């Protein structure tokens, strides 16, 4: 392996706990990752040393807390290589980021009958906000089909483009299939037709470098808790000229320039989209998580996870009755699978008794499940702190369960 697992695992206190008297094997990293001690300590540090409401007070603590929040914004900017910190909007996570964009974009940029292109493999977070806007603003949704390997083809996106297309919104990496989509090609395609592109990076920014200027994407969203940071905070990146065209999402403190009962004028970017007291403790800890990732190195993370994926794919395929769902050549460290006719829920419950945490069900991607003709899958998802030994434990667990049925 590329990284020294023993040293790395020491950074994550939770990984050394036991469940049911057995060592925990945590393979649900696509749902949320565990947190390194430096992130946990950073939360404690904020609340025990600089806690104060930000952007408002003239007092010392308030200025320190504000600086900490704004430093975190610059850290995120650097991490995804955005052109300026104004392009980084803090939200509660990917879901809120997409809801914000769907509501403000459809309200201001779309007329009834205009079209948004999505793909079959989207998470519900990149489907339902658009359906809500379909009800409110009359936009229509077009859906890119899937190949049998579980991939999206750029030519199938192009098929759906019309003079009414206003946005293409797709996931970078499928949370079920692990497929890494050719987003660079799709962004170029969109721009050939003057169509902006939103990338759901919830399953990519923690696995490999994502450079918004190199990709030239127009919007990009992700969640802190899937990248070793705290829960309850995430990011909406948008190109400045596009964000400036959008109206505010929520109203309240911080997002205003001047208020009277007759009329309110709004604050500049990014504050226009950050109504209310922001999660400055969360943003500060997200900044710490990013520094932690950078200290390991995203290229090292990618190589380590690619090796885990290869090892796990081979090991799982040696189990009789194993079917891996999602066989793209370009995959991130996610394996969805079914074994014979065993229900994923039954298998998941029994694996849990062996201390193995995997996810079961539709993974918030029911339209994808419908397209695949299945109800759900088991899903093992790996982070760089997982080990080949843990993959052996998973495989042995599956073999034991198979024998019980
Ligand atoms: N996927 C999973 O186990 P939030 O909940 O806002 O942090 O992220 C939503 C989301 C959006 N897009 C993609 C591609 C995602 O994978 C997720 C979250 C988790 O797969 C929880 S369902």
């Amino acid at each position: 392996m590329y990284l020294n697992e023993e040293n790395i695992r020491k950074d994550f206190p939770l990984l050394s706990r036991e469940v049911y008297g057995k060592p925990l094997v945590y393979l649900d990293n696509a749902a949320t990752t565990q947190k390194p001690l430096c992130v946990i300590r950073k939360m404690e540090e904020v609340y025990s040393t600089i806690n104060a409401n930000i952007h408002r007070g003239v007092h010392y603590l308030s200025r320190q807390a504000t600086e900490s929040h704004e430093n975190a914004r610059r850290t995120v900017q650097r991490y995804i290589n955005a052109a300026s910190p104004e392009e980084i909007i803090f939200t509660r996570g990917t879901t809120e980021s997409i809801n914000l964009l769907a509501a403000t974009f459809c309200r201001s940029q779309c007329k009834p009958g205009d079209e948004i292109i999505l793909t079959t493999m989207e998470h519900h977070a990149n489907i339902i906000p658009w359906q809500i806007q379909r009800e409110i603003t009359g936009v229509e949704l077009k859906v890119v089909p899937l190949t049998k390997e579980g991939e999206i083809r750029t030519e199938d996106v192009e098929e759906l483009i019309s003079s009414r297309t206003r946005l293409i919104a797709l996931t970078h990496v499928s949370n079920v299939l692990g497929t890494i989509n050719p987003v660079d090609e799709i962004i170029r395609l969109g721009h050939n037709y003057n169509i902006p592109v939103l990338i759901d990076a919830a399953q990519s920014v923690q696995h490999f470098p994502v450079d918004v200027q190199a990709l030239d994407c127009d919007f990009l969203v992700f969640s802190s808790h899937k990248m070793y940071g705290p829960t309850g905070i995430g990011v909406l990146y948008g190109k400045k000229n596009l964000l400036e065209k959008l109206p505010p999402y929520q109203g309240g403190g911080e997002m205003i320039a001047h208020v009277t009962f007759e009329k309110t004028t709004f604050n500049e970017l990014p504050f226009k989209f950050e109504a209310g007291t922001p999660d400055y403790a969360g943003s500060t800890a997200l900044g710490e998580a990013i520094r932690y990732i950078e200290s390991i190195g995203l290229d090292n993370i990618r190589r380590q996870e690619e090796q885990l994926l290869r090892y796990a794919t081979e090991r799982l395929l040696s189990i009789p009755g194993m079917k891996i769902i999602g066989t793209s050549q370009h995959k991130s460290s996610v394996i969805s699978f079914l074994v014979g006719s065993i229900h994923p829920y039954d298998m998941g419950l029994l694996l849990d008794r062996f201390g193995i945490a995997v996810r079961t069900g539709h993974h918030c991607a029911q339209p994808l499940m419908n397209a695949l003709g299945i109800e759900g899958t088991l899903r093992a998802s790996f982070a760089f702190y997982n080990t080949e030994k843990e993959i052996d434990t998973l495989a042995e667990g599956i073999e034991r369960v198979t024998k019980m049925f």
Side-chain angles (χ1 to χ4, degrees), residues 28-32 92-98 121-126 171-176 200-204 206 221-226 232-234 359 362-365 379 381:
D28 196 15
N29 295 286
T32 199
R92 285 195 300 123
T94 306
T95 302
E96 189 176 60
S97 297
I98 301 177
M121 64 168 80
E122 296 313 308
H123 186 278
H124 294 166
N126 196 26
T171 195
H172 200 166
V173 172
S174 162
N175 67 321
V176 177
D200 174 351
Q203 300 289 353
S204 63
Q206 64 280 50
V221 294
F222 55 92
S223 299
S224 151
H225 71 96
K226 292 185 195 292
I233 183 141
R359 191 169 169 192
H362 55 65
H363 315 295
C364 298
R379 184 189 70 183
S381 50

Side-chain angles (χ1 to χ4, degrees), residues 40-76:
I40 299 167
R41 291 213 171 113
K42 189 52 84 175
M43 294 293 279
E44 193 183 321
E45 187 188 311
V46 172
Y47 287 124
S48 42
T49 62
I50 59 165
N51 181 52
N53 206 329
I54 65 167
H55 292 139
R56 294 165 201 197
V58 291
H59 61 79
Y60 187 81
L61 279 189
S62 175
R63 277 188 280 122
Q64 273 203 327
T66 304
E67 206 176 294
S68 182
H69 185 64
E70 294 308 322
N71 273 342
R73 199 188 303 279
R74 284 189 285 275
T75 304
V76 173

Side-chain angles (χ1 to χ4, degrees), residues 4-121:
N4 182 327
E5 293 150 7
E6 231 171 88
N7 282 349
I8 279 171
R9 288 177 72 86
K10 282 192 199 130
D11 293 339
F12 294 84
L14 194 138
L15 294 179
S16 59
R17 71 161 286 180
E18 296 191 336
V19 290
Y20 310 113
K22 303 197 171 57
L24 170 71
V25 175
Y26 185 75
L27 300 176
D28 196 15
N29 295 286
T32 199
T33 54
Q34 296 307 337
K35 318 303 172 201
L37 209 50
C38 60
V39 168
I40 299 167
R41 291 213 171 113
K42 189 52 84 175
M43 294 293 279
E44 193 183 321
E45 187 188 311
V46 172
Y47 287 124
S48 42
T49 62
I50 59 165
N51 181 52
N53 206 329
I54 65 167
H55 292 139
R56 294 165 201 197
V58 291
H59 61 79
Y60 187 81
L61 279 189
S62 175
R63 277 188 280 122
Q64 273 203 327
T66 304
E67 206 176 294
S68 182
H69 185 64
E70 294 308 322
N71 273 342
R73 199 188 303 279
R74 284 189 285 275
T75 304
V76 173
Q77 175 207 346
R78 191 192 65 233
Y79 187 66
I80 60 169
N81 193 31
S84 94
E86 296 158 293
E87 298 184 322
I88 306 297
I89 316 291
F90 283 121
T91 63
R92 285 195 300 123
T94 306
T95 302
E96 189 176 60
S97 297
I98 301 177
N99 274 278
L100 185 166
L101 185 70
T104 58
F105 186 87
C106 292
R107 182 147 60 96
S108 64
Q109 310 297 312
C110 300
K111 296 197 172 53
D114 282 352
E115 294 162 2
I116 310 288
I117 295 181
L118 307 174
T119 83
T120 305
M121 64 168 80

